[in-house]
Amino acid sequence: MKTKSRKTKDIVDLVQPAVRGLAAYHIDETSVRVKLDAMENPFLLPDSIGKEIGKAAQRALINRYPDPSAKKLKQAIARYWKMDPARMLLGNGSDELIQAVILAFGGPVVAPSPSFAMYEITALALSQKVVTVPLTNEFGLDADAVIKAAKRSKAKVIFLACPNNPTGNRFSDAAVRKVLEKVDAAVVIDEAYVSFSGKTFLPFLKMHRNMIILRTLSKIGLAGLRIGVLTASKEIIGELNKIRLPYNINTLSQAAGLVALKHASTLNKQISLLISERRKLYNALLRTPGVTPFPTETNFILMWIERDATKVFQALKKRGILVKNLDQPGPLKGCLRVTIGTPAENKEFLKTLKQIL
Ligand code: PMP
C-alpha cells in the first residue's frame, strides 16, 4: 500500500504547477425544482420543433465525423446575427473559444474583476499570467486602469464581458472603445448576453484589427447544444483555425442548431418574454426590504442581501430553489445572482425569498 500511495503522489507531482494550484470552476449539481443559477433560458422549444429536431437527428450521419467547419450552421448563425461567415469560428460553447484565444495569443491576460471566472481559470490552466483590474464602485469599466495594466504587463489578450457577468451591467461604449484604441493586445468583447441588452460592438469590428467578438447560443435557449461563436478579422480567424480541434461541433449539435435557428422567431419571443419578466422581478426586488438589486441588461439579476446572504442562499436551496451564491469577501460580499426563469418560477422565487427574509 505504501508503494502505491507514493506512486500516486509522484504522478500528481508531474502535473503542471499552474494546474495543481487551480480550483475547478464550481457548478452546484444539486437537483432542484427551480433552477435559477446558470443563466439558461427556462423554456424548452415547442413539441413541434422538438419533433423536427428528432427527425434531423434520425437523418444525421453519426457514423461519419461531423462537418469540420459546420458550414450550414455557421451560415444560419451568420444570418441570425448579421455576421460574415468568412470571419466566424464556432466552438464547443464560447468556453472553448476563450481557451482557443488564450492558446493562440498566450498571456499575460487582463480581465476586470469581478467578471466571468473562466477567463482567469483558463489562462491559469494554460500557465499564463493573469492581471485583474477592479471595476469601479458602480461596476463600471475603469478604462485607464485596464490600459495601464495591459501596457505594464505587456498583455496579449484582454477580456471584456459586455454586459458583464456576474454584475449584469453593460460597460459604456466610450470606455470599451478607449481600451480598444489604446492597447496593443487583442481585445475580446464577450457578448454572451447581447440578446438581452440589444446593444452590440459588432459595427466596430471593421475599425479595430485587435477586436474579437464572442457570442453563444447558450443563453438564448440552446445551452445543451454547446455552440459558441467568435467573429474577428480574417487574419485572426485564420490563426485560431489552426489550433481549433478539427471536429469541435458534433453532428447532432449542428443538426439541432440548424432546426432551432430555422425557428428563430420562437426563440426571439421567449427572449422578449424574459426581458419583460426581468423588469417585473427587478421592480419587485427594489420594493423588497433588505434587498438591493443592481441594474441589469442580461437574463439575470445580481442583488445585495442585507441579511447573511449565504444563509439566504441555503434556505432557498432547502426549499428547492437554486441561485448562485457570490457571497465572498470582496466587492460581491452579500450578493446572490438569480437567473430570470418562467413567470411561475420568478413568482415562487420572490415569494420564498420574502418568506425567508
Ligand atoms: N461568457 C460569459 C460572459 C458567460 O457568462 C458565459 C456562461 N456563463 C460564457 C461566456 C460561456 O458560455 P458557453 O460556454 O455556454 O457558450
Side-chain angles (χ1 to χ4, degrees), residues 25 39 93-95 98 116 119 161 165 190 192-193 216 218-219 226-228:
Y25 182 68
M39 283 80 91
S94 44
D95 284 342
I98 292 167
F116 182 42
Y119 308 142
N165 169 18
D190 185 343
Y193 300 96
T216 175
S218 296
K219 314 297 168 187
R226 307 299 298 129
I227 298 169

Side-chain angles (χ1 to χ4, degrees), residues 108-112 129-133 146 149-150 153 155-160:
V109 169
V110 169
K129 195 175 157 220
V130 178
V131 181
T132 55
V133 179
V146 170
S153 66
K156 298 285 177 25
V157 190
I158 301 173
F159 284 95
L160 303 176

Side-chain angles (χ1 to χ4, degrees), residues 333-346:
K333 179 86 198 120
C335 287
L336 301 179
R337 186 191 68 198
V338 63
T339 302
I340 310 299
T342 64
E345 287 174 332
N346 300 332

